[in-house]
Every structure is written in C-alpha cells, then in structure tokens.
Amino acid sequence: MLCLAVSACRHGGGGVSGDAGAAAKFVPSPRPETQSPEISINNLDGEIADGERRAPKEAFFRNLLPNKLIERASYLGTTKDYDEADELSRKNLEESPGDPAVIMTRAHVLSTLHEFGAALRELDDAAAHGASDDDVKRSRATIFLATGKCAEAESLWPVLPVALDMAARGAMQQRLGRPGVAEELFERARVDFRDVSPMTFAWMDFERARAFEREGDRVKARAYLEDALAAFPQYAHAAVHAATVEPPEEAIAHLLVVEKRADDPDVLAAHADALRREKHDDEARAMTERARARFEEILAKHPQAFEDHAARFFLGEGGDVKRALALAKSSAANAPIEETLELWLLAARANGDSAEACAALAAAEKTTCPLRGSRANFDLAKKTCKP
C-alpha cells in the first residue's frame, strides 16, 4: 500500500501540544460521503479471513494477505498483524524467491517495520526480476523519505495524476520545505479522490495534519485530526495524536473506541496521559504499567519500528530518560528524519548530555529535509555546540 509506506510506515505519538483551536477555528473543505466505519472494518476483516482460507492453495491470496494485514495494523493499531505479515511474507519469499510481486510485498513489510536496509535490498532484487519500474522507484522513494533523504526521494518519485499519489507527494513536498505546494496537492487529492472508504480519507487527513503540525500551524493540524476521526473513529494513530491536543475526557472517549481492537502501546500510553491529566492518578499508573509491558514486548519483536514510540513514552509517562535517550539515538540512526532527530536532542537535554545533543545537531545538519517545526530547538543547540 503506497499510503502506508509514505507515512514512514508508522507514526510517533508526539503530536502537537497546547490547546490548539481555543482562539481560532478552521473548517476543512467538504469531503464526499463514505460508507460507515463499521462496514469498512468488516469488509477488511472479511478480505483477510477469505485470504487466510484461500492462501494455502492460491498464490495470489498468499501474497495479498501480508499487505492486508499491514493495512489493518496501520489503521486499527492491531500490532499482532505486523507479526503475522512479517512471518507470511518471509515464508512466501522462501517458496517463491523469483516472483517479483512476492519480493515487492516482502520489501513493503520490511519497510513498514523500519528495516530499511533489508527493504532496499529486496527492491533491488524485485527490479532484477522484472518488477514495475515505477513501483520500485516509488517504494524506494518512500524509504528515502523515511530516512531523511528528501531530495533523493523527489528525484525518484514517478508523478501520477492519482489522488493517493498526490496526497503522498504532498507529504513529501512539505518535508522538502514547500508547504504551499504540499497544500495544493493535499487539496487536489481531497477533491479528486472518489471512493467510499473512510480509511483512505482519514489517512489523507492525518498526513495533512502532520504536515501542518511540522509547520507549527496547530489550529489546522487539530482540524484535520478531528476530520480524520470523524471519518474513521477507529484510526489509532489519529486518536493518539488528537489525544495530545484534546481535553482529557475527549481524548479518553476517542481512545476507548480504538482500544476495542488495538493492542498498540501508543494507545495505552496516550490513555495513561489523559487519565493523569484528569487527575485519576491510580488509573493512570495502572495504564502506564500496561503500556510499559506492551512496549517491552513489541520492542523485543520489532525494535526498529517502535524505538521512537518507546523513546517518547520513556521520556514522558514511562519516566526513564536514560532509556529514552538510548532508544531515541538508535531510532535516529535508523531513520534520521526531523521527528527522530528532535527526539534524540530532547532526550539528550533531559539527561543533561551535551555531547549527545551536539551529535543530534550534527546528524540533523546532514539531512536533505529542511528542519521545520524543530528549527528552534536545533538553533538553540547551535549556541552551545562547537562548530
């Protein structure tokens, strides 16, 4: 799925802070009516169940199934689906090592799990076995975008007049420091997209919210987070981000909807934070411990995909700044984008470690993606770091 890869596969729970929208209000342009979220989820569950039934005898469904599992995990926060997708795509590749479609699926799963080096090697193999040149370029570009190589991503990205591609390129253009171009692409995608899926509209709104967030426009960021949840209330990433800008009672209401399916520790951490803000200290501590246990479990399986999320947790609710620094540094080494680099810098500050703060600054200065929302933090670091 293109949209999932462009989203850098997974999103952190940092979000925007403060009461965005208390003094101003922004209303997104209307979007077409979509089917109910429940129908959309039932359809996806049905596709996965059908794929599981038919996979043993039909190669098409064996290869389709990991992609569908990734889709469900990315929207609903069902992280155990990542485990199954990882295992299935690996087995499929062992059984069909020369099939370009199977290789591309394996690359997609690895990219989603932030195993970027392995994913790039699979893309090389897919190209050698006749995979679509545009598909390989787009997949490679999404990895470059997720690893702080924005200029390289732009040079590779094949431009298609398709709504989903326009939204994905909108996210890239914002990272390249062109918010006006990004906004034009996001709006064209919103107007041009014709589908009944609330998930897809929610994804486009979420990416747009993240773009505004990086530009420091909290009002519009919150508006698109709210719009994403209005379209698809079960969207785990949107609920986690929205929880940082909503009153605690609203955040808990959204998170309870997500928790009916999700096992993502970010959801539990956001719930703990909302409970703490609502002064339910005992419940907040219990939820924090649940989040801590879940982070430990998932870090043991997919460390690269969850290190940044865990670092944010330990820097905040988890209360272990030393652990946060180690995780943040590792995440930034694997995916040196603005969010991870800033997280490394903030964790270094929390530990009083000026050497690590300066190392984070040095890494940030190597990226071809302009620093937008984090610019002030890195400018401050320059005052204390030697040239």
Side-chain angles (χ1 to χ4, degrees):
M1 290 289 291
L2 169 66
C3 61
L4 303 180
V6 171
S7 302
C9 311
R10 289 186 42 77
H11 299 279
V16 292
S17 60
D19 187 5
K25 185 69 177 177
F26 170 80
V27 180
S29 61
R31 53 176 165 75
E33 291 295 322
T34 57
Q35 66 187 184
S36 77
E38 290 75 17
I39 290 175
S40 186
I41 292 171
N42 288 340
N43 288 344
L44 180 55
D45 286 342
E47 289 176 326
I48 289 172
D50 186 54
E52 290 172 337
R53 179 178 60 82
R54 301 176 69 173
K57 294 183 179 180
E58 299 180 56
F60 173 82
F61 287 97
R62 281 197 298 277
N63 192 48
L64 178 66
L65 191 53
N67 290 306
K68 287 296 178 181
L69 288 164
I70 289 292
E71 183 178 357
R72 185 166 67 183
S74 297
Y75 282 114
L76 300 183
T78 51
T79 62
K80 292 180 181 178
D81 284 332
Y82 290 128
D83 303 342
E84 189 174 352
D86 187 26
E87 181 67 13
L88 287 173
S89 64
R90 183 186 61 78
K91 287 183 177 179
N92 289 345
L93 188 59
E94 289 175 354
E95 294 173 3
S96 304
D99 187 324
V102 171
I103 303 170
M104 288 294 293
T105 294
R106 181 58 179 159
H108 172 56
V109 173
L110 289 168
S111 178
T112 301
L113 296 175
H114 288 199
E115 296 183 32
F116 298 122
L120 287 169
R121 290 191 292 273
E122 295 298 348
L123 290 176
D124 289 341
D125 196 33
H129 284 89
S132 162
D133 187 52
D134 278 353
D135 288 347
V136 172
K137 284 182 177 179
R138 191 180 299 107
S139 295
R140 199 183 303 277
T142 63
I143 293 174
F144 287 161
L145 196 63
T147 52
K149 299 176 181 177
C150 290
E152 297 89 330
E154 184 182 32
S155 68
L156 273 182
W157 202 290
V159 177
L160 301 174
V162 178
L164 282 179
D165 188 71
M166 285 189 283
R169 284 189 287 118
M172 177 178 67
Q173 289 294 333
Q174 187 279 327
R175 285 197 179 273
L176 281 161
R178 302 167 188 157
V181 176
E183 183 58 9
E184 288 179 11
L185 286 165
F186 279 126
E187 186 61 19
R188 284 179 59 194
R190 187 181 184 88
V191 171
D192 291 356
F193 188 66
R194 292 291 179 266
D195 198 281
V196 296
S197 169
M199 295 181 181
T200 307
F201 276 108
W203 170 76
M204 289 194 291
D205 283 337
F206 181 79
E207 286 298 312
R208 203 167 181 176
R210 294 284 284 142
F212 279 122
E213 179 185 322
R214 288 187 290 267
E215 292 299 321
D217 192 331
R218 297 177 175 181
V219 172
K220 289 182 180 178
R222 182 172 180 178
Y224 281 106
L225 284 173
E226 291 174 347
D227 205 53
L229 288 170
F232 193 63
Q234 296 86 348
Y235 195 2
H237 296 322
V240 167
H241 273 261
T244 67
V245 297
E246 294 173 322
E249 64 275 11
E250 291 181 23
I252 290 170
H254 281 137
L255 292 165
L256 285 173
V257 173
V258 172
E259 285 175 35
K260 292 177 181 179
R261 291 287 295 267
D263 61 354
D264 191 319
D266 277 336
V267 177
L268 301 176
H271 196 164
D273 175 69
L275 287 167
R276 178 186 54 76
R277 288 188 286 130
E278 209 171 31
K279 309 302 181 184
H280 296 316
D281 294 339
D282 290 343
E283 293 176 64
R285 280 191 289 271
M287 189 64 71
T288 297
E289 291 311 307
R290 286 182 60 193
R292 188 191 311 277
R294 186 73 189 107
F295 269 120
E296 297 294 1
E297 180 182 356
I298 207 161
L299 282 170
K301 294 180 179 179
H302 308 297
Q304 291 166 305
F306 284 87
E307 284 174 331
D308 57 333
H309 304 256
R312 287 188 183 90
F313 168 73
F314 285 112
L315 195 57
E317 292 297 311
D320 187 343
V321 295
K322 185 175 180 180
R323 182 88 185 278
L325 177 56
L327 289 164
K329 182 177 181 179
S330 180
S331 178
N334 183 54
I337 59 174
E338 181 171 4
E339 292 87 343
T340 59
L341 293 165
E342 184 181 32
L343 183 60
W344 181 12
L345 176 66
L346 295 176
R349 281 189 192 168
N351 280 273
D353 193 328
S354 59
E356 286 294 336
C358 293
L361 172 63
E365 291 178 336
K366 293 178 182 178
T367 179
T368 60
C369 306
L371 301 172
R372 307 294 291 181
S374 65
R375 183 71 268 171
N377 276 322
F378 282 106
D379 284 345
L380 183 61
K382 282 184 177 180
K383 295 179 180 180
T384 57
C385 295
K386 295 180 181 179

